Amino acid sequence: MAHLARLLQLSDSTLPIGSFAFSNGLESALQTGVVKDAESLHRYVEMMLRQTARMDGVALLHAHRAALAGDGDAIRHADQELFCRRVGEEQQMMLTRVGKKFAELTLKITPSPALERWLADIRSGLTPGCYPVGQAVALAHLGASEREAFVMHQYGVGSMILSAALRLMRIDHLETQRILFRAQARVEDDYCGARDLTLEEMSSFAPIFDVLVAHHTTTHVRLFMN
């Protein structure tokens, strides 16, 4: 039971790692009319979950396996491959800033030699420090399976977007929880679609999201960092 409780703690949307400052493109989606109500918000969340499953999720799975094998080179390789595929300075900033904070917070809670090495590599510039890779290293240390780690990551993505929605649009907590509940129905299919992909196959086709990221960098009034 303690294992489950700790996994829930590290997947909590209130974890103080700075994710509250990012909206995963939702701010621009609202400004451009891509999202305008609860139903379009649900479609946006599902689009983001599909995208992250075959991008961040693939890197997470490879890093988790590498962490279990004690292969630091493979962890850094997964980290670099993900960083290079995230287009846009703000997206890269989100991944690395939250990733570093997650590692620092986790090490305050529980010792982990693998996570200490990874954080040292970040600080020395040997690796970017992407959040999903940090999650993989920490969760492998805590005994979480790769399936559990993947579910936690996907839950966090959906929760982050919907938390931002409460501050950006006319929607209440009941509606966002309904959307989150519906969206989580796809996590098994997303895991099955990502688990056998190589790092070279890690990619996503989400041109709308890429345009929204570009749009955000030019707006004058912003509540979120991306």
Side-chain angles (χ1 to χ4, degrees), residues 1-2 31 33 38 48 52 54 58 64 66 84 89 98-99 109 112 118 147-148 150 173 176 185 195 197 224:
M1 292 179 69
Q31 291 173 357
M48 289 301 304
T52 56
R54 291 179 174 265
V58 174
H64 187 277
C84 290
E89 181 181 354
V98 176
I109 297 172
S112 168
W118 190 70
R147 185 185 294 264
E148 289 173 324
F150 183 89
H173 291 81
T176 56
R195 66 184 175 187
L197 295 179
F224 291 86

Side-chain angles (χ1 to χ4, degrees), residues 9-30:
Q9 179 182 357
L10 291 180
S11 64
D12 196 320
S13 60
T14 63
L15 201 66
I17 55 175
S19 59
F20 65 88
F22 300 92
S23 72
N24 260 313
L26 179 62
E27 188 171 18
S28 287
L30 284 160

Side-chain angles (χ1 to χ4, degrees), residues 84-226:
C84 290
R85 283 169 172 77
R86 274 299 182 189
V87 179
E89 181 181 354
E90 291 185 345
Q91 279 294 295
Q92 292 177 339
M93 179 179 66
M94 179 189 73
L95 282 177
T96 55
R97 181 174 294 184
V98 176
K100 183 180 179 182
K101 291 295 183 184
F102 178 81
E104 292 171 341
L105 180 143
T106 304
L107 285 172
K108 293 288 186 181
I109 297 172
T110 179
S112 168
L115 198 58
E116 286 178 0
R117 288 192 296 271
W118 190 70
L119 183 57
D121 287 342
I122 295 172
R123 289 170 172 166
S124 64
L126 288 176
T127 198
C130 295
Y131 180 41
V133 176
Q135 284 183 305
V137 175
L139 294 174
H141 165 71
L142 291 173
S145 68
E146 68 171 50
R147 185 185 294 264
E148 289 173 324
F150 183 89
V151 170
M152 281 183 61
H153 175 264
Q154 293 296 97
Y155 170 82
V157 171
S159 180
M160 184 193 304
I161 297 170
L162 292 168
S163 176
L166 288 169
R167 288 170 279 171
L168 287 169
M169 59 189 294
R170 292 184 176 180
I171 194 167
D172 60 30
H173 291 81
L174 296 177
E175 193 65 34
T176 56
Q177 288 301 309
R178 185 183 69 86
I179 292 171
L180 185 60
F181 189 85
R182 289 171 61 194
Q184 288 183 105
R186 64 172 300 113
V187 70
E188 180 70 23
D189 289 340
D190 284 339
Y191 169 74
C192 291
R195 66 184 175 187
D196 296 324
L197 295 179
T198 67
L199 288 173
E200 289 70 27
E201 294 173 306
M202 179 171 58
S203 63
S204 67
F205 182 72
I208 292 176
F209 178 70
D210 292 338
V211 170
L212 292 175
V213 170
H215 171 268
H216 191 264
T217 63
T218 63
T219 56
H220 296 291
V221 179
R222 298 188 291 182
L223 295 178
F224 291 86
M225 298 181 74
N226 85 330

Side-chain angles (χ1 to χ4, degrees), residues 57-79:
V58 174
L60 177 142
L61 292 173
H62 280 267
H64 187 277
R65 294 162 191 166
L68 291 179
D71 191 341
D73 289 339
I75 293 172
R76 288 189 292 272
H77 180 58
D79 196 22

